[in-house]
Amino acid sequence: MQKVKRLSQNQIFWPLVVFVSILLLNGIATKGAFFEFKIVDGHLYGRIIDIIRNGGKLMILAIGMTMALATGGTDISVGSVMAISGAVACSIVDGRIFPGLGGNAGVAIMMALLAGLACGAWNGFLVAKVKMQPIVATMILLVAGRGIAQLITQGKIVTIGINPAINPINPSIYYFINGGYILGLPFPLMIVIFFFLLALLFTKRTAFGLFVESIGVNSAASSFTGINVDLVKLLIYTFSGFMASVAGLIESAGIKAADCNNAGLLIELDAILAVAVGGGSLAGGRFSIASSIVGALIIQSVTTSLLAMGVVPQAALVAKSLVVIAICLAQSKSFKEAISSRFRKGAQA
Amino acid sequence: MKKNFALIVTGLLFALLFGAGVAVYGFKLSTFLNLFNTNAYLIIVSVGVTFVLLTGGIDISVASNVAFTCMFLAVTMRAGLSPLLMIPLALAVGTGAGLLMGYLIQNFNLQPFIVTLAGQFFLRGLCAVISTESIAISNSFYTFMSLGKITLGRGNNIYFYVFIALAILAGAGFILNFTKFGRGVYAAGGSEQSALLMGLPVKRIKTLVYAVSGFCAALGGVVYSFGTPAGYSLQNMGLEMDAISSAVIGGTLLSGGAGTVAGTTLGVLIQGIIQTSVTYQNLNTWWTKVMNAALLCVFIAIQRVLAARAEKAKTAKPAISKA
Amino acid sequence: MPNAEPVITMRGVKKSFPGAMALKGVDFTLQKGEIHALLGENGAGKSTLIKILTGVYERDQGEILLDGTPIHPRNPQDAQKIGISCVHQEINLCPNLTVAENIFIGREPMKFGAIDWKTVNKKSYEIMKGFGLDIDVTKTADSYSAAIQQMVVIARATEISAKVLVLDEPTSSLTAVEAKKLFDTMRALKEKGAGIIFVTHFLDQVYEVSDSITILRGGEYVGTYKASELPKIELVAKMIGKEYKELDEANVRSGKAVSGEPFLSVEDASSSEISDVSLVARKEEVLGLSGLLGSGRTEIARMIFGVDPALSGTIKVKGQKVKIKSALSAMRLGMAFCPEERKKEGIIGDLSIRENIVLALQAKRGIFHLVPRAEAERLADLYIEKLAIKTPSREQSIKNLSGGNQQKAIVARWLAANPELLILDEPTRGIDIGAKAELQKLVITLAGGGMAIIFISSEIDEMLRCCQRMVVLRDKSIAGELDGDISESRIMSFIAGGADSAKS
């Protein structure tokens, strides 16, 4: 009994319960079809695999967003950075920019990741050094980012099909990022696991995690204890930008194109929502990357379920925004007080 | 003097940019008037956002509010309802949305950006629920409003709806400078704690500014639909950024307490000049966004430097402790 | 008082906060036309009582009568409406608004539906002139000095034609001359029949202007006395109460002249906040920085610790010239700094005691050298025991501790980093008297163990108990240094800028 109680106090407990319930509900609704797995050519297929594959981007973003929110900030530029990353990679593979590289997919990926790092560092610079409010600092790139992406692709949607003029082999390497399989499991999942472990290692095996939480709770006091608050913030936004560029690669590899207008459009709310659903505080402080990843899975499974029910993707925004407000209220002290005082009054009457 | 410093800088920048434009392309009255014609709705929206920024808050739901208003009008017009009834209703809905967000933020101590971000997605989502298609508006009232104009010689037109923007500007200027609510907005942004202890209804003021912003966004939507008579769920993406950057370029402090609607209007016009030059130069229109963002960066950086200097000049601010 | 007529009567007022009972049933009566001093040590409940009267807090129990009618002010506006206004220690005005506006905001005269600015400015000018200040009231408040700003706040409060005016430490940012002006104003208001509650820690000011004195101690009502009938020494005894003995035990080292090796010497150093600072901190010695609030004590500490780095002059640590550019570089040189604002600059509320204690050591070691969990737990347990931090467990969030225990945990944080120089800025402010005595003892013990300590406090008694040497500050510069013969009167004369205030 004691053990169960301790388990339920863990941040990840309730998100996991919710996720499993959604899966079960889906299973019941589809009379079990939801849980069917098929193995084709040694690759695992099925609805759950789809959720994991399609949720890859969101899980990646959630890792970065968790850290940004934990410092008491936010990064709403992730969608635009995804667009930039996709634009850079596809334009290089396509030979549109840097034709000298011969459309080398490996270099294209490197350049896209570098672009993400640069974007993140820019956000970090504005937040940590210029001391802008994070929302405003990242909003600059949110809007300018899509413009930059458009300038890179010269305003076109860059599709990367087989282009014998440059290199017929390259694109398939690029497609692998989203469509590939390793050990029968989709490659995006591998990417998520890799970055999850990396982030875990960095936050738990070094003092980074402690510093992030400390800054999120009380930034002024943290700097008095000798923590280099600016550096930690700079690193975090850089990391968030990097994660966004990874997500951008997965997205553009999935649609085999860079669509600057729609890549990662409105995904920033999903990423924030993932952290919130995972039980993380939106005001900074304690964080759990694992919980945020489960949060991302919850959102993806809800989105997938809604799509299966024939709801327009944009319309799902309505539901999501309501969930955000509900979670905010649930975390709000004054809301709890208001409710409990009403309850008490009711009890007295 | 200090109060007007930011306004003077913005005014000079406007004069400089406009002067440069005149030097390169020659002066055309129509170009000048078109700055107002094309940006009337943005002036209205930005004025609303300025109220929120003055209290130190932020409202990023305005773009969706504009889009929703257009969509709402387009659908109701298609259904044959009277614009004279539906426009006030749309304004009421927009104001209500702002009021609700303000209520959530103030009553439950939520972060303005999260709540207005949720509001942004909610309204955008509602647009999509109504329709994902672009719906054109056509009725006699709209024909009148979208074409009605005053002509000053050949090709030099001022559309009627520009006067709505000017009226809002004058109204907002009056409210901010000559009413208790307006001064309360500045007080709450200057030092919330002090304003509270001076007995100002800070909570109500900080709730109402979101309603003002919602109203202006809805009215901006109405004016936008006069200029472009249609509703589309994805229109005006990123408009909130244009509105906020107009205010900032116009001298509004993001930390609250300083700024004028006249400055905000100059901010809108400066961005309008940039857009016009990009069009004249036949550049990719995305340059506008990039350049506006760059300009915004510069202005915020200037603000930061000035604020840092001001902080050094005076002694530490009083400790803020909330009951 | 012959025609005593109570304007405020408070009976059995109780208020508790999570984990602490701030007021345990307090009675208080304010007559019309009297200046009534409300006294007590930090944490006695003065500010809680005032905040209840002015509607910042709601009381749990008890009643408040204004002119015989029960009142329930729910916020400062409510209180103001019924005639109770308050001037706080922090200067509460909007720096971005004009002086005139700060006086009239919320009650501006209107004309044709618009604020009548002409009248606002004219009246404000007259009001300020009435206070002896001939200033341009259309300039923003932040273009004037703290003293003028405080006068503006007081002008506003009196202008509301309050029946009851609460002045909470109004003189802490005023010079002696300005304080005199304020007292004249208070007397004038008294003549008009207003009741004034005066809270201050300057006892001389109490006797200069007050008619009656009410004393609180540890949230309890001690008594109300006529100022003319209560000798100062008795007043102090009543404020400190039976705990006086316990405090006295801490008085171990006074008079003992010890001088270890100099650890830190500052020569003509200036930062962006303060200029021309010269002082020496020795091992085995507690050096006091004394002076009024805002006199530059904290600014010196911040300069030494690299928060506002020194821009000129020399700083030597153990004889070596050093550059201290950040808190971290100061820590690496063996320094530690407990800042003044515990909540804002000290505790990391949501983190555990263990994490709070280990934080400075961790920052000193760097990101990649994680202090192992076992070591962190050992350190936490060690200091919880050593400093007698009262907590159910080391994993408790620090925000759940009482103020005194939080302060001990912050000191533990710095001790864990093993410093040679410890700077303590108001370490005993707002904590209960027992914890206060313990902290004072700890300071003395640490110095005895060889540590150099710089001690900052507004309470002269405390300084006298703990410090061997004292640097006295006035108006952001060093007014003098006291070695050996430290007495309250000598400190006071330096602070006041008296005859022997030349640099010694």
Side-chain angles (χ1 to χ4, degrees):
Chain A
M1 198 57 220
Q2 196 75 32
K3 257 187 185 166
V4 174
K5 202 177 167 192
R6 258 192 27 218
L7 198 70
S8 69
Q9 275 171 358
N10 198 318
Q11 195 190 321
I12 202 167
F13 178 78
W14 288 110
L16 266 181
V17 168
V18 171
F19 179 52
V20 171
S21 322
I22 292 171
L23 292 187
L24 285 176
L25 278 178
N26 266 302
I28 294 164
T30 58
K31 300 197 177 72
F34 189 80
F35 289 113
E36 275 170 20
F37 289 100
K38 270 185 288 187
I39 297 180
V40 180
D41 303 332
H43 298 163
L44 211 50
Y45 286 93
R47 298 280 282 276
I48 292 179
I49 296 296
D50 284 346
I51 289 178
I52 290 174
R53 185 208 305 280
N54 296 333
K57 290 174 295 207
L58 195 54
M59 287 190 263
I60 291 280
L61 290 179
I63 296 174
M65 188 64 83
T66 304
M67 311 277 275
L69 287 169
T71 58
T74 187
D75 182 356
I76 58 168
S77 73
V78 288
S80 294
V81 176
M82 282 174 69
I84 291 179
S85 152
V88 169
C90 292
S91 300
I92 291 178
V93 172
D94 179 63
R96 192 173 295 257
I97 54 172
F98 303 121
L101 296 171
N104 185 313
V107 178
I109 290 166
M110 292 291 293
M111 295 296 280
L113 295 178
L114 276 179
L117 276 178
C119 290
W122 165 252
N123 284 335
F125 170 76
L126 293 183
V127 173
K129 297 289 172 192
V130 188
K131 315 271 183 214
M132 274 189 207
Q133 291 159 274
I135 174 90
V136 178
T138 54
M139 188 192 281
I140 289 171
L141 203 50
L142 167 71
V143 171
R146 285 191 193 282
I148 294 168
Q150 292 278 0
L151 295 177
I152 294 169
T153 61
Q154 286 134 25
K156 308 252 166 29
I157 294 179
V158 183
T159 48
I160 42 170
I162 308 298
N163 186 351
I166 297 173
N167 190 338
I169 306 164
N170 272 332
S172 55
I173 298 173
Y174 193 73
Y175 301 159
F176 188 84
I177 301 172
N178 183 66
Y181 279 87
I182 287 180
L183 302 173
L185 292 170
F187 188 60
L189 180 63
M190 297 293 155
I191 302 177
V192 171
I193 291 174
F194 175 76
F195 283 111
F196 170 61
L197 290 178
L198 192 76
L200 210 58
L201 197 71
F202 197 60
T203 52
K204 297 287 177 196
R205 290 283 145 190
T206 73
F208 196 72
L210 177 64
F211 287 177
V212 168
E213 287 182 346
S214 170
I215 290 170
V217 176
N218 189 341
S219 157
S222 301
S223 71
F224 271 101
T225 64
I227 296 173
N228 193 337
V229 175
D230 292 354
L231 181 68
V232 170
K233 284 189 178 168
L234 183 68
L235 284 176
I236 276 175
Y237 284 93
T238 310
F239 178 68
S240 178
F242 182 73
M243 289 287 94
S245 66
V246 173
L249 286 175
I250 298 176
E251 165 128 347
S252 68
I255 60 168
K256 304 182 179 178
D259 178 357
C260 302
N261 279 325
N262 296 311
L265 189 65
L266 304 182
I267 204 168
E268 55 274 1
L269 184 76
D270 275 359
I272 294 171
L273 190 55
V275 180
V277 169
S281 161
L282 296 178
R286 295 282 191 208
F287 67 91
S288 157
I289 296 172
S291 301
S292 302
I293 287 184
V294 175
L297 282 170
I298 291 174
I299 289 162
Q300 188 62 46
S301 54
V302 169
T303 310
T304 311
S305 311
L306 286 176
L307 285 181
M309 281 153 52
V311 178
V312 192
Q314 278 189 46
L317 288 175
V318 175
K320 284 178 192 169
S321 58
L322 293 177
V323 174
V324 169
I325 293 295
I327 291 174
C328 282
L329 286 178
Q331 286 183 1
S332 156
K333 220 193 248 167
S334 21
F335 182 71
K336 282 182 210 154
E337 276 164 15
I339 292 290
S340 70
S341 79
R342 185 152 303 172
F343 189 72
R344 240 180 286 140
K345 267 180 206 158
Q348 276 167 9
Chain B
M1 174 62 219
K2 199 173 159 192
K3 204 164 103 187
N4 297 327
F5 178 71
L7 196 57
I8 291 167
V9 171
T10 311
L12 282 178
L13 180 70
F14 175 75
L16 194 77
L17 283 176
F18 194 76
V22 169
V24 176
Y25 304 108
F27 179 77
K28 269 194 234 152
L29 183 62
S30 64
T31 313
F32 181 73
L33 295 178
N34 277 337
L35 275 181
F36 288 90
N37 289 331
T38 48
N39 291 305
Y41 76 101
L42 185 55
I43 291 177
I44 298 173
V45 176
S46 306
V47 163
V49 168
T50 305
F51 274 76
V52 176
L53 295 178
L54 280 174
T55 63
I58 196 161
D59 186 353
I60 53 177
S61 70
V62 289
S64 303
N65 207 334
V66 168
F68 177 76
T69 305
C70 292
M71 189 53 120
F72 177 83
L73 290 173
V75 167
T76 49
M77 295 302 103
R78 191 173 61 179
L81 294 164
S82 160
L84 295 177
L85 279 177
M86 285 307 118
I87 289 176
L89 186 60
L91 293 178
V93 170
T95 313
L99 190 62
L100 180 64
M101 287 186 281
Y103 174 78
L104 288 172
I105 292 166
Q106 289 308 314
N107 253 41
F108 304 119
N109 260 326
L110 305 184
Q111 289 171 316
F113 99 84
I114 299 251
V115 173
T116 54
L117 187 68
Q120 176 191 346
F121 282 71
F122 183 81
L123 292 171
R124 196 61 85 178
L126 273 191
C127 288
V129 170
I130 295 172
S131 168
T132 48
E133 305 289 309
S134 178
I135 302 170
I137 304 175
S138 56
N139 66 39
S140 53
F141 178 74
Y142 260 86
T143 317
F144 171 73
M145 279 314 294
S146 64
L147 297 178
K149 62 196 169 197
I150 297 175
T151 305
L152 312 164
R154 266 177 309 148
N156 302 329
N157 304 316
I158 309 174
Y159 287 88
F160 287 162
Y161 51 74
V162 172
F163 293 102
I164 300 180
L166 296 179
I168 284 291
L169 186 59
F174 178 80
I175 289 174
L176 283 177
N177 288 306
F178 291 99
T179 68
K180 290 183 182 179
F181 169 69
R183 299 319 295 171
V185 167
Y186 282 95
S191 168
E192 181 170 355
Q193 178 76 356
S194 297
L196 260 176
L197 290 170
M198 285 175 169
L200 300 183
V202 173
K203 209 168 181 177
R204 194 167 62 201
I205 290 169
K206 291 187 80 170
T207 306
L208 281 180
V209 288
Y210 289 93
V212 170
S213 177
F215 171 79
C216 287
L219 185 62
V222 171
V223 168
Y224 186 84
S225 71
F226 289 155
T228 315
Y232 176 49
S233 69
L234 287 178
Q235 76 186 32
N236 304 111
M237 296 288 275
L239 178 74
E240 68 275 5
M241 172 75 168
D242 293 338
I244 292 171
S245 55
S246 300
V248 170
I249 292 169
T252 304
L253 283 183
L254 285 171
S255 48
T260 55
V261 282
T264 299
T265 307
L266 280 178
V268 172
L269 296 180
I270 286 173
Q271 298 193 63
I273 292 178
I274 293 176
Q275 185 156 20
T276 310
S277 337
V278 165
T279 318
Y280 270 32
Q281 291 282 0
N282 258 331
L283 286 171
N284 189 322
T285 53
W286 285 94
W287 274 111
T288 317
K289 295 269 178 199
V290 178
M291 284 177 65
N292 283 347
L295 200 60
L296 177 64
C297 271
V298 170
F299 269 77
I300 296 181
I302 293 173
Q303 279 190 9
R304 287 299 321 165
V305 172
L306 288 179
R309 220 183 274 166
E311 256 165 52
K312 265 185 192 164
K314 64 174 190 252
T315 45
K317 266 195 162 186
I320 289 169
S321 58
K322 203 164 180 299
Chain C
M1 242 136 276
N3 53 349
E5 194 184 338
V7 57
I8 287 280
T9 311
M10 299 172 94
R11 275 190 224 121
V13 175
K14 285 187 187 172
K15 173 75 189 174
S16 62
F17 294 106
M21 189 93 173
L23 290 178
K24 304 167 187 166
V26 167
D27 300 337
F28 180 79
T29 306
L30 176 69
Q31 312 289 343
K32 273 186 187 153
E34 89 168 333
I35 298 176
H36 195 139
L38 180 62
L39 303 178
E41 289 267 275
N42 285 334
K46 294 168 298 188
S47 57
T48 311
L49 191 69
I50 285 171
K51 282 181 173 162
I52 286 172
L53 181 61
T54 54
V56 179
Y57 295 153
E58 257 180 272
R59 60 187 182 265
D60 297 341
Q61 269 182 50
E63 60 172 353
I64 305 178
L65 307 175
L66 175 73
D67 291 333
T69 330
I71 53 164
H72 284 88
R74 243 169 270 117
N75 50 48
Q77 289 147 265
D78 267 11
Q80 255 180 36
K81 262 183 218 147
I82 55 176
I84 302 170
S85 55
C86 183
V87 174
H88 297 266
Q89 179 173 14
E90 307 98 34
I91 296 169
N92 280 303
L93 43 71
C94 294
N96 57 329
L97 303 185
T98 65
V99 167
E101 217 177 342
N102 270 295
I103 295 176
F104 277 99
I105 192 157
R107 331 167 280 114
E108 298 95 337
M110 305 296 278
K111 203 173 175 184
F112 309 120
I115 293 172
D116 181 4
W117 285 114
K118 223 169 144 184
T119 308
V120 168
N121 291 335
K122 205 175 125 222
K123 272 193 172 175
S124 303
Y125 177 75
E126 282 160 11
I127 291 165
M128 292 315 290
K129 212 165 176 195
F131 280 83
L133 290 170
D134 189 0
I135 57 171
D136 181 358
V137 292
T138 61
K139 276 192 175 176
T140 54
D142 61 1
S143 45
Y144 290 107
S145 72
I148 292 180
Q149 291 187 18
Q150 189 65 298
M151 294 305 268
V152 174
V153 178
I154 291 165
R156 176 188 170 81
T158 56
E159 193 51 31
I160 295 174
S161 68
K163 292 180 196 166
V164 179
L165 178 63
V166 183
L167 299 170
D168 184 1
E169 299 277 6
T171 54
S172 54
S173 53
L174 303 188
T175 64
V177 179
E178 287 162 343
K180 284 266 184 297
K181 253 181 215 160
L182 172 63
F183 295 153
D184 290 342
T185 314
M186 284 166 72
R187 287 188 197 105
L189 287 168
K190 180 174 103 171
E191 292 305 314
K192 284 187 203 157
I196 298 175
I197 301 176
F198 180 41
V199 179
T200 182
H201 64 268
F202 298 108
L203 296 185
D204 290 342
Q205 295 185 352
V206 170
Y207 284 100
E208 188 175 343
V209 75
S210 310
D211 303 311
S212 330
I213 297 172
T214 289
I215 298 169
L216 302 182
R217 187 173 65 231
E220 281 176 86
Y221 174 71
V222 175
T224 302
Y225 312 89
K226 281 197 174 151
S228 51
E229 292 166 11
L230 184 71
K232 195 170 172 185
I233 193 78
E234 215 170 297
L235 166 67
V236 173
K238 285 188 194 299
M239 281 168 64
I240 299 174
K242 54 182 178 288
E243 324 264 358
Y244 185 71
K245 241 178 160 180
E246 194 181 339
L247 273 178
D248 207 37
E249 278 169 24
N251 196 1
V252 187
R253 288 174 67 98
S254 66
K256 189 183 163 200
V258 183
S259 47
E261 293 280 298
F263 173 78
L264 171 85
S265 50
V266 179
E267 290 157 25
D268 290 325
S270 303
S271 73
S272 54
E273 307 293 326
I274 191 158
S275 45
D276 301 324
V277 175
S278 297
L279 56 83
V280 178
R282 296 170 194 280
K283 288 182 182 175
E284 299 178 58
E285 184 191 65
V286 183
L287 169 69
L289 292 187
S290 188
L292 296 180
L293 195 75
S295 61
R297 306 169 311 188
T298 302
E299 287 79 357
I300 290 185
R302 287 169 67 99
M303 177 179 76
I304 294 173
F305 200 62
V307 182
D308 309 316
L311 304 169
S312 65
T314 34
I315 296 180
K316 289 182 188 163
V317 170
K318 294 192 221 166
Q320 295 281 316
K321 227 175 127 175
V322 291
K323 278 253 177 263
I324 303 172
K325 283 192 214 116
S326 67
L328 194 59
S329 61
M331 286 161 67
R332 294 229 161 96
L333 290 165
M335 298 186 201
F337 176 35
C338 284
E340 184 179 7
E341 304 274 349
R342 186 174 60 241
K343 284 223 169 77
K344 265 169 63 195
E345 300 168 341
I347 63 166
I348 318 278
D350 287 339
L351 298 195
S352 69
I353 296 166
R354 167 178 55 83
E355 287 166 310
N356 268 284
I357 287 182
V358 88
L359 207 55
L361 176 66
Q362 181 65 69
K364 202 171 170 184
R365 287 199 189 164
I367 281 184
F368 292 102
H369 300 88
L370 182 69
V371 176
R373 178 74 180 235
E375 189 186 344
E377 288 179 357
R378 191 183 56 74
L379 279 169
D381 287 343
L382 176 75
Y383 284 106
I384 287 173
E385 203 203 313
K386 210 168 158 183
L387 306 189
I389 299 173
K390 284 186 205 88
T391 169
S393 123
R394 60 168 179 259
E395 299 304 323
Q396 179 77 271
S397 291
I398 197 168
K399 65 178 174 202
N400 294 334
L401 299 188
S402 72
N405 284 306
Q406 286 180 356
Q407 190 65 46
K408 285 184 196 169
I410 302 301
V411 173
R413 169 192 293 168
W414 289 110
L415 296 182
N418 208 6
E420 292 176 86
L421 168 68
L422 178 60
I423 307 170
L424 296 163
D425 193 355
E426 296 277 11
T428 63
R429 181 198 280 179
I431 68 179
D432 65 83
I433 208 140
K436 197 165 177 171
E438 281 174 25
L439 268 166
Q440 291 170 2
K441 266 185 220 164
L442 177 71
V443 166
I444 292 164
T445 318
L446 287 171
M451 200 179 281
I453 290 177
I454 295 179
F455 192 85
I456 301 172
S457 171
S458 298
E459 289 176 52
I460 290 193
D461 286 355
E462 177 175 82
M463 298 286 277
L464 289 173
R465 273 195 295 278
C466 297
C467 307
Q468 275 100 54
R469 226 154 35 84
M470 208 176 288
V471 169
V472 186
L473 292 143
R474 176 167 25 94
D475 296 337
K476 310 246 166 185
S477 65
I478 292 179
E481 193 175 321
L482 295 169
D483 199 349
D485 177 28
I486 307 177
S487 65
E488 185 165 353
S489 61
R490 288 201 66 194
I491 299 171
M492 283 305 191
S493 69
F494 274 126
I495 290 178
D500 58 340
S501 67
K503 280 201 178 187
S504 52

